[in-house]
Amino acid sequence: QVQVAESGGGLMQAGGSLRLSCAASGSILSANTMGWYRQAPENERELVASLVRDGSTSYADSVKGRFTISRDNAKNAVYLQMNSLKSEDTAVYYCNVVLFGYNTWGQGTQVTVSS
């Protein structure tokens, strides 16, 4: 079963950009779905962006036009480019990969946006 680990979080001022990375321990070429979720304190975990095997993407309304999900099969990695950050984007961001029936989560990376 592949494992994933997020990186790239940190503290950023509103209006700034961050790129989150999700490194997989094995090939993600056959992954059915890859996604980024986030969970703010006292909130439920929510889907931010997803990328399915055919290349189509979807985004939460709150991040459309600001965030972009992408993958690099050669590096076994999934990325989330976050631009025009807002204070409400503050959360722990999690990578999720669905591969061969296994639903794998990373430990999360904290993103804090100061206004």
Side-chain angles (χ1 to χ4, degrees):
Q1 180 179 353
V2 71
Q3 296 180 341
V4 297
E6 304 92 341
S7 62
L11 175 64
M12 178 58 64
Q13 288 187 334
S17 298
L18 282 173
R19 188 175 84 150
L20 304 184
S21 298
C22 173
S25 60
S27 174
I28 58 170
L29 187 63
S30 298
N32 295 319
T33 306
M34 292 158 285
W36 285 95
Y37 291 71
R38 68 186 180 188
Q39 187 167 17
E42 302 182 355
N43 286 0
E44 294 186 353
R45 190 172 296 187
E46 63 172 352
L47 177 64
V48 175
S50 64
L51 174 62
V52 297
R53 193 171 177 179
D54 65 3
S56 59
T57 59
S58 63
Y59 297 90
D61 288 342
S62 59
V63 307
K64 281 181 181 176
R66 300 188 298 122
F67 290 10
T68 303
I69 187 172
S70 62
R71 66 189 290 178
D72 186 332
N73 291 332
K75 295 183 178 180
N76 297 326
V78 182
Y79 305 102
L80 184 68
Q81 178 66 43
M82 306 187 294
N83 299 328
S84 302
L85 284 163
K86 303 176 181 180
S87 57
E88 50 262 44
D89 295 321
T90 295
V92 178
Y93 283 71
Y94 297 91
C95 175
N96 174 263
V97 175
V98 179
L99 176 64
F100 301 134
Y102 289 99
N103 193 4
T104 301
W105 294 91
Q107 293 298 308
T109 185
Q110 175 71 46
V111 172
T112 302
V113 183
S114 61
S115 57

